[in-house]
Amino acid sequence: MDQKTQKFFLQTYPGKITLDEPLGRYTTFKIGGPADLFFDARTNGELINIVREARKIHLPVFVLGGGTNILIGDKGIRGLVIKNNTGTIATRGAKGEVIGGKSYSRVYVEADSGVLMNKLVRVTVDEGLAGLEMHLGLPGSVGGAVYMNSKWTHPDGYVGDTVYQAEILTPEGKIQTVPHSYFQFAYDTSYVQKSRDIVTRVVFSLIRDTKERLWTIANESIAYRRQTQPQGVFSAGCTFKNISKTQAMTRHVPDGATSAGFLVDHAGLKGLCIGDAEVSSVHANFIINRGHATASDVVQLIDRAKEQVKRQFGVLLEEEIQRIGEF
């Protein structure tokens, strides 16, 4: 990055811009090289303003939320990295409605995109608002969860299911409010993965319920996470997307299994290490950093898993983890 650009941001945001900031500490993987410029955004105003400034001079921008589901390259990220630490949660309205002959009270809760999902779930459950309770224990931020349309299966639920509308910052620097349909939510995806929109706020549509029932569901959900997923380790979450039922049947996967973890496990890869990266012995769809893993270690392990599963089952696994920066 040229010195003129560095000087501009250092002068425009005195004391708030860091040069060559190591990024591993901001991710759940604890892996990643430096950002050319790093900014900690505490309010939506700060987030929007600095994105606009960067885009005026065509400086690449990456907004970092909870740091989950990503692998940052060992060479880091060129341009500006914004740590999204916006944190407001507020009720924006309520209304009564009848669904299937029953009366319900619907409440609209708005959260900044930097709010951690676990915090939002706890707040809404404690207020007796249903819709997000199955996501207790979900790492990452609201913005990241909407971007990925994060899911859970015990009980089933996608974050996108409860999105009513959202505020986005467009590539042209305009603030727009868009409805649920704008996101085109699907398995592990949303429209903003293709666009350059940045989600700044999200309004969730939730239904009043008893706090006791919602906490029961939430606690059962997080208990299942703890039973089935590695705990207390550095990981980015699931590495691969599950395959479709059609793929499982046509490729003659044992028991018609669609689980990527099943395929990696049955390809004999549990516990496999490259450098300090390891395929988890608890859940084979998780790669863990045993302490000093590099992005290169993880990429080699991902490639090995894809090759072995393709060779054994004829299925090419698709990565759920997002690779960011230079490798």
Side-chain angles (χ1 to χ4, degrees):
M1 175 179 291
D2 63 84
Q3 290 185 347
K4 182 179 178 182
T5 299
Q6 288 186 356
K7 184 177 179 181
F8 169 78
F9 279 95
L10 288 170
Q11 290 179 342
T12 306
Y13 300 94
K16 300 210 69 176
I17 291 286
T18 307
L19 303 180
D20 300 318
E21 177 75 10
L23 296 172
R25 70 186 72 174
Y26 301 104
T27 74
T28 56
F29 233 152
K30 303 305 177 189
I31 294 173
D36 288 342
L37 296 173
F38 182 86
F39 180 81
D40 183 355
R42 295 282 172 169
T43 68
N44 264 316
E46 288 184 340
L47 173 63
I48 292 165
N49 288 339
I50 198 166
V51 170
R52 284 172 169 165
E53 291 288 354
R55 286 181 170 173
K56 280 180 187 176
I57 59 173
H58 307 290
L59 183 69
V61 175
F62 177 70
V63 179
L64 178 62
T68 64
N69 216 64
I70 62 171
L71 175 65
I72 296 176
D74 294 320
K75 296 178 181 178
I77 299 177
R78 305 288 69 80
L80 171 67
V81 172
I82 303 168
K83 180 67 176 77
N84 186 358
N85 277 320
T86 58
T88 301
I89 302 173
T91 300
R92 292 304 184 205
K95 70 174 184 179
E97 60 182 74
V98 177
I99 304 174
K102 293 184 178 180
S103 297
Y104 294 90
S105 176
R106 187 174 297 278
V107 178
Y108 299 94
V109 175
E110 182 180 79
D112 285 347
S113 56
V115 170
L116 294 179
M117 276 299 302
N118 213 33
K119 178 180 178 180
L120 178 62
V121 172
R122 290 181 177 278
V123 168
T124 56
V125 168
D126 218 36
E127 291 293 322
L129 300 176
L132 296 172
E133 60 278 0
M134 73 288 295
H135 298 295
L136 185 64
L138 175 66
S141 65
V142 166
V146 170
Y147 180 90
M148 290 300 299
N149 193 22
S150 298
K151 65 184 181 301
W152 188 238
T153 55
H154 296 276
D156 287 340
Y158 286 85
V159 168
D161 294 343
T162 56
V163 171
Y164 175 69
Q165 65 183 33
E167 178 187 274
I168 61 170
L169 177 63
T170 71
E172 297 74 33
K174 296 180 180 179
I175 294 293
Q176 290 184 353
T177 298
V178 296
H180 174 276
S181 59
Y182 180 85
F183 290 93
Q184 301 174 28
F185 289 118
Y187 173 62
D188 279 347
T189 190
S190 69
Y191 175 68
V192 290
Q193 292 183 20
K194 302 175 184 177
S195 69
R196 294 176 62 220
D197 300 320
I198 294 173
V199 177
T200 57
R201 292 188 176 100
V202 182
V203 177
F204 295 91
S205 175
L206 308 174
I207 299 292
R208 286 208 180 277
D209 205 328
T210 65
K211 184 166 64 173
E212 293 72 22
R213 192 183 83 86
L214 297 180
W215 272 119
T216 296
I217 295 171
N219 287 326
E220 288 175 351
S221 177
I222 199 169
Y224 187 83
R225 284 182 192 271
R226 290 169 176 163
Q227 291 169 7
T228 59
Q229 297 179 357
Q231 301 295 311
V233 296
F234 301 140
S235 171
C238 289
T239 307
F240 303 105
K241 296 181 180 181
N242 292 333
I243 65 173
S244 67
K245 291 182 180 179
T246 300
Q247 283 179 299
M249 297 304 295
T250 57
R251 300 298 182 180
H252 306 295
V253 174
D255 302 321
T258 60
S259 164
F262 176 94
L263 294 172
V264 176
D265 185 0
H266 283 72
L269 296 168
K270 255 188 180 180
L272 176 66
C273 297
I274 293 180
D276 229 14
E278 177 185 359
V279 176
S280 171
S281 58
V282 176
H283 191 311
N285 202 18
F286 284 69
I287 291 175
I288 62 175
N289 172 9
R290 299 191 302 177
H292 301 284
T294 64
S296 177
D297 294 337
V298 176
V299 168
Q300 291 180 65
L301 206 50
I302 288 172
D303 290 345
R304 180 80 66 84
K306 290 168 79 170
E307 290 168 7
Q308 187 67 22
V309 168
K310 182 72 163 64
R311 185 180 304 117
Q312 187 158 335
F313 299 107
V315 174
L316 181 61
L317 291 175
E318 184 179 351
E319 291 171 39
E320 180 173 322
I321 195 172
Q322 305 276 309
R323 300 189 194 188
I324 308 294
E326 295 184 354
F327 287 78

